Amino acid sequence: MTQPNILELAKQGDAKAIALLLNRQLQAKGITAAASLKDGCLQVMLESAEAPSQQVLAPWVSKSIAGLGAASIEKVKVYGRQTGAKVPAWSQEFEVAGPNLPVANVTEGRASSSDNTESNQLSLKERAKLGDVEAIASLLNLPLQNKGISATASLQDGCLQVMLEGDRVPDEEASIRIVRRELTNLKAGAIASVKVYGQQVGEDFPAWNREFEIATEVDSLEGKIEVIASQSALSKPSIRKKSLPKVSKTIPLYQANPQNQNLFLKVGVAVGVLLIVGSGISIVFFRFKQEQTINKAKILIVQAMESERGSSIEILTKSEQQLQEAIVLLTTINDFPGSVYPKAQSELATTRTRLQVVQAIAKAQALIVKSENSEGASDINVLKNSEKNLQEALAILGRLTNVDGSLSPQIQSELDITRNVLEKVTKKIKEVEEIQTAEKTLIDQFSGVQSRLDVGMNYRDYSEQLRELKVSIDKFARLAGSNSSPVYAKLVEAFKHYDFALDVWQYYIESDEKYNLFPATSTTGTVLVEEYQVPTDDILGTPYISLNRALSKIWSRADSQIKEAQQPEKSKPKEVTKETQQQI
């Protein structure tokens, strides 16, 4: 399909062509678009690893579609959701010819899970009341499953979004009636508004959506207060000024007449009743407000407990912030007769303990990460410092026991991870120490051979010394981490020089040359001249090489490698490869 054909089809309202044009602009940003056109409404679903930005993309899509001028498109519905999610994170509707008409303004968010220990101790309804979306979905599914409908939900900033799916598109009116009834009875303080989508299983776009608000308990309570107050005002006895007799200033009014005494008594009783009723209403109202505050704090605690499952420092930091917010909320609850202050103090103590746990885990995690970064190090001091950090992390985590002395599954998991990393670091320390001991032994052995060469050694003794060096080098090569040892690399080079010296010596012995001389034009002689810069002697026009001079040059080169091995930090040798080992 060529570019003009795609554009032409898009202008005709072809949904696939429109999606293709949108994807050419969006895929570079990691966003994919799908489109569907039905009854003049173009639905566009935007997906990415994180829910796409509504503020940026919804107006852009609307403007792009309007620019096509497709007569078959009357309005556009744009949805944004995270890849793999069923419920859109947000949706917005626009008229193609005219001002945009936002249907919903739901910010991105993720559903809180209730799989943690504390939330599981609550009943399904209590968890749903706290804003646990899995519990809410479970409550909705009870009446919906009989109709072949399944519900999933997400909650963000007081807006509950519910996706209803069935083999056929769920009946809109019946479904809305059930959802509204269940949520109204639930009276979850965290839910202010609801948006419901109806969709057939397997379809990319909802067939319908409806939004409504939930009347909160606070609204109904405030209405009751107004009614009671108005009724109290109507029932309050009135005292007409004309009915009071004129009395002397020195005689109290209530003593002037027995009838007045009864009247004052009635008024006093009525006022007292009003004060008691008003006082009771205030207590009920403020108690309810405190309950709402506790519920908000519990939602933050549940979200924090979900965050604790993450192993990254960022997630633990977020969990710490949520717990601190919960503590601030709980400390705002004052003590008065009939208040929930004791309950708030109990939650406060638990939350502060949990905060200490999270902070301890974060500290331990930071130590673990620091140790993991040095796991591949070969410096013994770096490794031992990592080992110390990990042991400290284990000590911190080991103190985070439950009241009965047991460990929570999360802490146990953190301990297992830490022990695993510690085991690797300890193993690495053992390997490095073993390598360092073997390096010292090998250096001493090579240095001993070099010292004997300085004194003098015959061919047979030299051959025996090289066999022993070869055994030691092969043994060293079998150690873990030997290939990365700079000492090993240098001594391998030194052995190659020693071995070549043996070949030169053997060549001299097996030849018929006399006077410790052999032709420089031979294969061995060429190597000595070109690689070792051994000088030659001209005898009757033919260049010759002295055996002693050749061996001295070769052994001098080996001695240089041995001295570099004794100070590996001052050199950067190449890694010993398998090919080099085979050559040895």
Side-chain angles (χ1 to χ4, degrees):
M1 187 181 289
T2 62
Q3 176 68 26
N5 289 338
I6 295 172
L7 185 58
E8 191 62 34
L9 287 171
K11 288 182 177 180
Q12 294 172 12
D14 188 298
K16 290 184 179 179
I18 292 171
L20 185 57
L21 289 177
L22 292 175
N23 278 317
R24 287 183 177 179
Q25 301 294 324
L26 295 172
Q27 283 178 343
K29 297 177 174 61
I31 302 170
T32 58
S36 173
L37 180 63
K38 185 178 180 181
D39 298 331
C41 177
L42 179 71
Q43 298 191 87
V44 179
M45 180 67 73
L46 305 178
E47 287 189 358
S48 61
E50 296 292 335
S53 170
Q54 177 184 4
Q55 185 178 3
V56 175
L57 292 173
W60 178 80
V61 171
S62 176
K63 184 177 179 181
S64 300
I65 302 303
L68 293 173
S72 57
I73 301 175
E74 298 174 0
K75 62 181 178 179
V76 181
K77 282 186 179 180
V78 187
Y79 304 88
R81 70 183 177 191
Q82 189 175 9
T83 303
K86 288 186 177 181
V87 183
W90 54 264
S91 67
Q92 195 159 341
E93 184 174 322
F94 299 94
E95 296 291 339
V96 173
N100 55 349
L101 300 173
V103 173
N105 186 15
V106 184
T107 57
E108 300 175 39
R110 67 179 180 81
S112 298
S113 172
S114 62
D115 292 337
N116 51 72
T117 305
E118 182 173 321
S119 60
N120 280 340
Q121 292 174 351
L122 303 174
S123 70
L124 185 65
K125 189 169 183 180
E126 287 173 333
R127 285 162 46 206
K129 217 168 184 180
L130 291 176
D132 187 319
V133 290
E134 290 187 5
I136 293 171
S138 298
L139 286 178
L140 293 176
N141 275 314
L142 293 175
L144 289 170
Q145 282 176 346
N146 294 331
K147 300 183 180 297
I149 301 170
S150 64
T152 54
S154 69
L155 177 64
Q156 182 68 27
D157 296 337
C159 179
L160 179 73
Q161 299 207 72
V162 181
M163 174 63 75
L164 304 181
E165 289 186 304
D167 294 334
R168 290 183 292 182
V169 176
D171 181 84
E172 182 175 355
E173 294 303 324
S175 301
I176 291 295
R177 188 164 52 252
I178 293 172
V179 172
R180 186 191 292 272
R181 181 192 68 211
E182 295 298 322
L183 294 178
T184 301
N185 292 337
L186 181 61
K187 298 177 182 178
I191 303 174
S193 62
V194 183
K195 188 160 188 178
V196 185
Y197 301 87
Q199 176 176 303
Q200 186 175 358
V201 174
E203 291 294 322
D204 293 327
F205 297 94
W208 54 264
N209 65 77
R210 181 89 70 85
E211 187 171 8
F212 58 87
E213 293 186 353
I214 297 292
T216 64
E217 235 176 281
V218 177
D219 297 333
S220 60
L221 181 60
E222 288 175 346
K224 290 176 183 177
I225 291 171
E226 290 177 2
V227 171
I228 293 171
S230 62
Q231 289 175 347
S232 299
L234 289 172
S235 62
K236 182 177 179 179
S238 60
I239 305 173
R240 290 180 299 175
K241 190 174 181 181
K242 291 180 180 179
S243 63
L244 297 176
K246 293 180 181 181
V247 294
S248 171
K249 291 183 180 180
T250 59
I251 301 175
L253 187 60
Y254 64 88
Q255 292 179 357
N257 192 306
Q259 293 180 353
N260 289 339
Q261 292 181 17
N262 293 334
L263 181 62
F264 270 97
L265 180 61
K266 292 178 181 179
V267 170
V269 171
V271 171
V273 170
L274 285 173
L275 289 173
I276 293 171
V277 171
S279 176
I281 292 171
S282 297
I283 290 173
V284 172
F285 178 75
F286 286 115
R287 180 186 173 90
F288 180 77
K289 285 289 188 181
Q290 288 183 335
E291 291 277 8
Q292 275 202 321
T293 302
I294 289 180
N295 287 342
K296 287 178 182 178
K298 282 186 174 181
I299 290 171
L300 286 168
I301 294 166
V302 170
Q303 291 172 347
M305 290 169 68
E306 171 65 19
S307 300
E308 288 173 27
R309 289 195 183 93
S311 59
S312 70
I313 299 298
E314 292 78 9
I315 293 177
L316 288 169
T317 301
K318 180 182 177 183
S319 176
E320 186 178 345
Q321 290 171 349
Q322 289 169 329
L323 290 172
Q324 287 172 338
E325 289 177 25
I327 288 172
V328 170
L329 285 173
L330 292 169
T331 53
T332 62
I333 296 178
N334 298 320
D335 189 14
F336 59 83
S339 72
V340 294
Y341 180 77
K343 182 179 178 181
Q345 289 299 301
S346 175
E347 285 289 344
L348 192 58
T350 304
T351 307
R352 281 175 174 154
T353 301
R354 188 174 299 282
L355 178 61
Q356 291 174 353
V357 171
V358 172
Q359 290 172 336
I361 293 174
K363 183 179 179 182
Q365 198 67 282
L367 291 169
I368 293 168
V369 170
K370 187 177 179 181
S371 299
E372 285 177 335
N373 291 337
S374 61
E375 191 179 321
S378 58
D379 187 287
I380 193 68
N381 293 325
V382 173
L383 289 167
K384 286 189 173 181
N385 189 51
S386 296
E387 184 180 41
K388 180 181 177 183
N389 288 338
L390 289 165
Q391 288 169 344
E392 183 182 348
L394 282 176
I396 292 170
L397 293 169
R399 290 194 293 268
L400 304 178
T401 57
N402 296 325
V403 177
D404 60 357
S406 63
L407 293 170
S408 68
Q410 181 194 359
I411 299 300
Q412 188 61 59
S413 175
E414 293 289 341
L415 280 169
D416 292 341
I417 293 170
T418 308
R419 289 192 184 104
N420 184 46
V421 178
L422 177 59
E423 183 180 347
K424 290 179 181 178
V425 172
T426 304
K427 182 180 178 182
K428 184 69 175 178
I429 289 173
K430 184 179 178 181
E431 290 176 358
V432 172
E433 288 178 337
E434 189 175 11
I435 285 286
Q436 288 179 345
T437 302
E439 284 175 344
K440 186 178 183 306
T441 302
L442 201 57
I443 288 173
D444 290 344
Q445 191 175 354
F446 269 82
S447 298
V449 172
Q450 194 66 27
S451 297
R452 292 192 61 183
L453 288 173
D454 292 339
V455 176
M457 190 184 305
N458 61 39
Y459 176 80
R460 182 179 297 174
D461 289 342
Y462 183 72
S463 299
E464 184 62 30
Q465 290 293 317
L466 258 60
R467 277 194 293 272
E468 291 177 6
L469 286 178
K470 181 67 168 64
V471 171
S472 298
I473 287 177
D474 290 344
K475 181 180 178 181
F476 189 95
R478 289 192 291 271
L479 296 176
S482 60
N483 285 354
S484 60
S485 167
V487 171
Y488 177 52
K490 288 297 178 184
L491 294 181
V492 164
E493 292 296 320
F495 183 84
K496 286 169 63 178
H497 294 307
Y498 278 157
D499 197 39
F500 181 62
L502 183 65
D503 290 342
V504 171
W505 207 339
Q506 187 176 3
Y507 171 77
Y508 166 76
I509 293 172
E510 292 176 353
S511 68
D512 295 331
E513 305 297 338
K514 298 179 180 180
Y515 310 111
N516 289 344
L517 297 172
F518 51 86
T521 54
S522 63
T523 304
T524 303
T526 301
V527 174
L528 289 170
V529 171
E530 293 180 357
E531 292 189 18
Y532 290 89
Q533 287 80 48
V534 179
T536 62
D537 296 316
D538 187 273
I539 301 176
L540 300 176
T542 301
Y544 282 87
I545 295 176
S546 165
L547 173 62
N548 290 337
R549 191 180 292 169
L551 293 177
S552 178
K553 281 283 187 181
I554 299 170
W555 289 337
S556 177
R557 192 76 65 83
D559 187 47
S560 297
Q561 296 292 334
I562 294 169
K563 288 177 178 176
E564 288 184 16
Q566 291 170 337
Q567 297 178 321
E569 68 280 358
K570 294 183 179 181
S571 61
K572 295 182 180 180
K574 295 180 181 179
E575 183 176 298
V576 179
T577 62
K578 291 183 178 179
E579 293 179 0
T580 306
Q581 292 180 15
Q582 290 171 358
Q583 290 174 6
I584 297 173

